[in-house]
Amino acid sequence: MLRLTAGRVAGLLSRRGVAAFSSSGVKMASHEHGGVTEQTDMSVPLYWDRLDTPLPDRPYKDTLSAADKSLKQKEKGPWNSLSKEEKLALYRIMFNETYAEMKKPTGEWKTVLGGIFFFIGFTGLVVLWQRYYVYPPHPHTLDDEWQAMQVKRMLDMRVNPVEGFSAKWDYEKGKWK
C-alpha cells in the first residue's frame, strides 16, 4: 500500500514539475507580476568606457536636454568662442569618464587580498581541526628517545659498515667521526 502511494505521489509531483517548467508555465509566471519586462536590444551599439577603446560606438547621452542641444549647435561654430565649462559639458555629453578617472585606482585589491587572507585563515583552522580531531596521534617511533634507541641499536648491529651509517661512527671513542 505504501509503495503504491509513494508511486502516485512521485507521478503527481513529476507532472506538476513538468508543467511548471514548460513554456506555458513560464509565460504565466512572467505575466503574473503584472508587467512585461523590457529587454535591451544587443544589436544596437552600446556605450562603454574602456581604456583600450578611446571612441565608443555611441555617445554617453542619447537624449539631449534643451541646454545640451543649444550647446551642440554652438559646437559647430568656432571653438575659441566656447568657455572651458562649455567644452567640459560637450565632453560629458560624449563621454562619461576621462582617462584619468578611468585609470584612478579603485581599491579593489584590498578586497581581493582580504578574501585571500580570509580563505587562508579558514583553511588553517580546518587543518588545525583535522590535526586534533581527525588524524590519529603521532606514533611512538617519532619520539626523540625512541629514535635515540633506534640509532644505538643500528650502531650495535653495525648496519652498513663500509659507506653507510656505521661507517660514520667511531666505535673506539664512542662518538661520531
Side-chain angles (χ1 to χ4, degrees):
M1 175 91 177
L2 183 62
R3 184 175 287 164
L4 180 65
T5 306
R8 286 185 179 171
V9 169
L12 180 63
L13 288 177
S14 68
R15 274 186 254 128
R16 284 193 179 189
V18 169
F21 290 115
S22 69
S23 61
S24 61
V26 172
K27 284 181 185 174
M28 289 187 332
S30 66
H31 289 293
E32 263 184 45
H33 298 290
V36 177
T37 58
E38 185 178 325
Q39 293 190 358
T40 306
D41 185 9
M42 298 307 285
S43 64
V44 177
L46 299 173
Y47 178 82
W48 192 263
D49 277 329
R50 293 178 53 148
L51 291 172
D52 60 341
T53 311
L55 297 173
D57 294 334
R58 68 172 188 83
Y60 175 64
K61 289 186 181 179
D62 278 338
T63 56
L64 299 177
S65 64
D68 291 341
K69 287 180 184 176
S70 68
L71 197 56
K72 285 297 264 183
Q73 287 298 324
K74 214 173 174 185
E75 176 188 25
K76 294 177 183 174
W79 275 63
N80 293 338
S81 64
L82 293 173
S83 68
K84 185 177 179 181
E85 291 80 20
E86 290 173 332
K87 290 178 186 176
L88 189 63
L90 281 170
Y91 183 84
R92 291 297 179 181
I93 290 172
M94 285 299 291
F95 305 103
N96 183 31
E97 292 182 324
T98 63
Y99 271 98
E101 291 170 345
M102 284 189 274
K103 288 182 178 181
K104 182 178 66 170
T106 60
E108 184 181 9
W109 66 271
K110 297 173 191 173
T111 305
V112 171
L113 208 58
I116 289 170
F117 285 145
F118 172 78
F119 284 111
I120 288 174
F122 181 73
T123 303
L125 288 175
V126 168
V127 168
L128 191 65
W129 176 80
Q130 286 178 343
R131 188 172 183 189
Y132 287 125
Y133 297 108
V134 176
Y135 297 136
H138 289 297
H140 66 281
T141 56
L142 294 178
D143 294 339
D144 290 336
E145 59 187 47
W146 179 273
Q147 287 181 352
M149 289 188 323
Q150 184 71 19
V151 167
K152 184 177 181 324
R153 182 170 179 263
M154 288 172 72
L155 290 172
D156 290 344
M157 291 173 52
R158 297 186 184 254
V159 173
N160 204 355
V162 177
E163 293 179 359
F165 194 72
S166 296
K168 297 178 176 77
W169 180 258
D170 189 358
Y171 286 97
E172 293 171 1
K173 295 180 183 175
K175 54 184 167 179
W176 296 102
K177 293 182 182 177

